[in-house]
Amino acid sequence: PWATLAIVPVSLGYWIVVAHYRYASRDSQRLEAITKTPIFNRISEVLGGLSTVRAFGYQDYLIEKGCVEIDHNQACNLLKVEVAQWLSLRLEALSV
């Protein structure tokens, strides 16, 4: 009987935590997808105009821009991992 009294607040806590996670997860996945698009676009453009890139010596410039885009994407991936860890921590804290 006492356990059933604890189920209601714990269930409410789970619901609140998962609701916050859902919004944060959706936004982090959206950011990750947005930052991934320029990487693939740059690869496609470079492969299409490889002879022009080599002729005008733009290799270093394109490498630098590509590294910046990859850094932005990896920051969004880190955010996605941190959001998942946030959920894990909160759910474990509620289960104790």
Side-chain angles (χ1 to χ4, degrees):
W2 293 105
T4 57
L5 292 176
I7 289 175
V8 173
V10 170
S11 297
L12 181 63
Y14 274 109
W15 183 79
I16 291 170
V17 167
V18 168
H20 285 295
Y21 170 75
R22 201 174 302 134
Y23 292 124
S25 176
R26 184 180 336 130
D27 286 343
S28 64
Q29 286 179 356
R30 181 183 55 81
L31 284 173
E32 193 262 339
I34 288 171
T35 58
K36 192 182 288 185
T37 303
I39 296 170
F40 291 125
N41 286 345
R42 184 164 313 276
I43 290 171
S44 175
E45 289 172 359
V46 167
L47 290 177
L50 195 56
S51 59
T52 305
V53 169
R54 287 183 179 157
F56 289 100
Y58 282 120
Q59 295 95 333
D60 294 334
Y61 172 77
L62 292 174
I63 289 171
E64 182 181 328
K65 294 295 276 185
C67 287
V68 168
E69 290 169 348
I70 290 171
D71 285 344
H72 290 172
N73 181 258
Q74 289 302 307
C76 291
N77 282 336
L78 179 63
L79 176 65
K80 200 164 72 171
V81 168
E82 288 173 352
V83 167
Q85 288 177 345
W86 179 89
L87 175 69
S88 175
L89 179 70
R90 297 308 186 271
L91 292 180
E92 283 193 30
L94 279 174
S95 68
V96 171

